Amino acid sequence: FTQMYDYTTKIFDVRDTPLLVHQTEEGHDIEPKYYCPIIPMLLVNGAEGMGVGWSTFIPTYSPVDLVQSIRKYLQDGSLPQTLVPHVKGFTGRINCCLGKVIYEGIIHRIGMTSKYRITELPYRKWTQKYKDDLLKKDWVKDVKDESTNTSVNLVVEVLTPFDDTVNLLDKFKLR
């Protein structure tokens, strides 16, 4: 048995319920065949995929930003604001340039040591795979994973500390 979250009624107007194609299974009413959201859920959930000769990547956007943009358009007909991609819980930076979305992680040197702390990975980069890839680098001495289920915390010890001219985001492939 499943139930919808309370916020669902804010996304799917209950006044549409009689218009939906309802389904039954084993004598019980189940979810409608489809729902009619009041905002474009493709932009909330994003999409990525491949087709024959084509690929697509639609980043995720904040529902709040979408609602504000749609309201503005409905009120005065002005074009929607340029939306910036949003990932819930992501603490790194999201940059848009030339039609591309660039997600940046977070790294800083620990004092004057040869250790660096990574507290955010780029969106859709997974901790274990990233750690395994780091350990293959000839300049990495050790990686300690102090991450939790909800936050990234990797301490990377390198053989020789990098000087201030080295771009750590590029060196550690955090972009």
Side-chain angles (χ1 to χ4, degrees), residues 66-113:
L66 286 169
V67 168
Q68 289 173 349
S69 188
I70 291 168
R71 279 191 177 144
K72 182 158 178 47
Y73 177 74
L74 292 174
Q75 287 169 356
D76 61 21
S78 63
L79 291 175
Q81 67 185 24
T82 301
L83 295 170
V84 176
H86 170 80
V87 177
K88 184 178 179 182
F90 182 69
T91 57
R93 286 192 345 184
I94 301 174
N95 298 310
C96 299
C97 69
L98 303 173
K100 292 189 177 196
V101 179
I102 300 167
Y103 300 93
E104 292 182 352
I106 299 173
I107 184 170
H108 65 272
R109 187 172 176 188
I110 302 174
M112 296 305 292
T113 68

Side-chain angles (χ1 to χ4, degrees), residues 29-95:
D29 289 338
I30 60 170
E31 73 274 356
K33 194 170 189 173
Y34 56 84
Y35 287 95
C36 298
I38 62 168
I39 59 174
M41 294 305 292
L42 180 65
L43 297 178
V44 174
N45 296 323
E48 185 172 5
M50 295 287 296
V52 177
W54 298 94
S55 68
T56 188
F57 174 75
I58 299 170
T60 57
Y61 294 92
S62 163
V64 173
D65 292 347
L66 286 169
V67 168
Q68 289 173 349
S69 188
I70 291 168
R71 279 191 177 144
K72 182 158 178 47
Y73 177 74
L74 292 174
Q75 287 169 356
D76 61 21
S78 63
L79 291 175
Q81 67 185 24
T82 301
L83 295 170
V84 176
H86 170 80
V87 177
K88 184 178 179 182
F90 182 69
T91 57
R93 286 192 345 184
I94 301 174
N95 298 310

Side-chain angles (χ1 to χ4, degrees), residues 126-167:
W126 308 112
T127 310
Q128 187 60 50
K129 170 123 176 54
Y130 181 78
K131 179 183 165 189
D132 292 344
D133 290 345
L134 267 182
L135 286 168
K136 294 175 187 171
K137 306 283 183 198
D138 58 359
W139 46 267
V140 173
K141 183 176 180 181
D142 188 33
V143 179
K144 287 190 180 176
D145 189 353
E146 299 174 359
S147 303
T148 67
N149 288 340
T150 57
S151 65
V152 175
N153 190 1
L154 297 172
V155 177
V156 182
E157 186 174 1
V158 297
L159 297 174
T160 308
F162 302 110
D163 62 35
D164 293 339
T165 62
V166 172
N167 184 318

